[in-house]
Amino acid sequence: DQQVKQNSPSLSVQEGRISILNCDYTNSMFDYFLWYKKYPAEGPTFLISISSIKDKNEDGRFTVFLNKSAKHLSLHIVPSQPGDSAVYFCAASGGNTPLVFGKGTRLSVIA
Amino acid sequence: GAVVSQHPSWVICKSGTSVKIECRSLDFQATTMFWYRQFPKQSLMLMATSNEGSKATYEQGVEKDKFLINHASLTLSTLTVTSAHPEDSSFYICSADGRGLAGVTDTQYFGPGTRLTVL
């Protein structure tokens, strides 16, 4: 049973537009959420996180929104750049547990 | 879908002993696996990249003599924490490169993690 779901395996966005990557979770004990970015032939690198006490966290072009009632979070990238093309993983944890990852969404930013 | 398993899921050991953690790709071959350490409420720290048939590549600051990695086959990588100390207590998570699985080129599959507690 997947506790963290990224239902869109891929997404294409034009350069300069907004990219919105979505993530849903089922475990109400999750209280910390992270987004990772992965380029080919490299391991994932941390991008941005959010604690459940917040509903928004912003870092430059990247903003993560958390809707606890819907058990949904999203990553917004604006403006999107070709270098943002990568696979994005959503991850969640609750209490003293390992991170649980989604299956990833492949973002392609088209120039 | 592709599955990565880790064994054991939870281990408690005495200080000074060594602990081996296994990471297996169950239905695909993984030429590259990654080992991470996770601290509470923190993101993953990449420890090393494990390539089948060759020596692991360690990240800066990670002691390769303390964290021994062996990637002996295309489906198995092991991490051995030698002479474990309480400060080594953490979650250790592996992931496997998805290259080689039909229809998948550059994604990654994460294991469920191993909780190490050193007393």
Side-chain angles (χ1 to χ4, degrees), chain A residues 53-72:
Chain A
I53 62 173
K54 293 185 172 183
D55 54 19
K56 176 183 174 181
N57 188 25
E58 193 171 347
D59 183 4
R61 297 186 296 115
F62 302 91
T63 303
V64 56
F65 295 93
L66 175 63
N67 182 334
K68 288 187 292 292
S69 60
K71 295 191 177 69
H72 177 84

Side-chain angles (χ1 to χ4, degrees), chain A residues 3-110:
Chain A
Q3 296 188 68
V4 176
K5 298 179 184 178
Q6 293 177 256
N7 291 319
S8 298
S10 62
L11 175 69
S12 289
V13 172
Q14 260 194 317
E15 182 179 7
R17 299 288 186 103
I18 183 171
S19 295
I20 300 176
L21 297 102
N22 293 303
C23 179
D24 296 292
Y25 61 96
T26 58
N27 190 337
S28 58
M29 297 300 292
F30 287 149
D31 61 0
Y32 192 64
F33 306 90
L34 308 94
W35 284 93
Y36 288 83
K37 177 179 179 179
K38 183 192 179 303
Y39 291 117
E42 297 180 14
T45 55
F46 171 72
L47 195 56
I48 192 169
S49 65
I50 188 167
S51 165
S52 61
I53 62 173
K54 293 185 172 183
D55 54 19
K56 176 183 174 181
N57 188 25
E58 193 171 347
D59 183 4
R61 297 186 296 115
F62 302 91
T63 303
V64 56
F65 295 93
L66 175 63
N67 182 334
K68 288 187 292 292
S69 60
K71 295 191 177 69
H72 177 84
L73 65 154
S74 60
L75 174 68
H76 292 213
I77 307 172
V78 55
S80 302
Q81 299 173 354
D84 296 329
S85 297
V87 179
Y88 289 79
F89 292 93
C90 168
S93 73
N96 194 14
T97 61
L99 286 171
V100 179
F101 286 84
K103 290 188 181 290
T105 297
R106 186 188 313 277
L107 172 66
S108 299
V109 179
I110 305 160

Side-chain angles (χ1 to χ4, degrees), chain B residues 29-104:
Chain B
Q29 294 182 332
T31 54
T32 304
M33 290 183 173
F34 301 87
W35 284 97
Y36 303 86
R37 183 170 175 176
Q38 176 197 335
F39 297 92
K41 300 298 185 186
Q42 296 182 23
S43 57
L44 294 180
M45 179 192 81
L46 177 64
M47 299 175 66
T49 302
S50 169
N51 294 296
E52 187 268 338
S54 63
K55 290 184 179 180
T57 304
Y58 289 82
E59 296 299 302
Q60 193 170 12
V62 178
E63 299 175 61
K64 56 184 172 184
D65 294 331
K66 180 170 181 61
F67 299 99
L68 301 177
I69 290 172
N70 184 16
H71 195 156
S73 76
L74 286 170
T75 59
L76 173 65
S77 175
T78 60
L79 168 68
T80 301
V81 182
T82 63
S83 187
H85 291 286
E87 57 265 31
D88 298 325
S89 298
S90 185
F91 282 112
Y92 292 86
I93 295 177
C94 73
S95 67
D97 204 320
R99 279 198 296 268
L101 184 66
V104 175

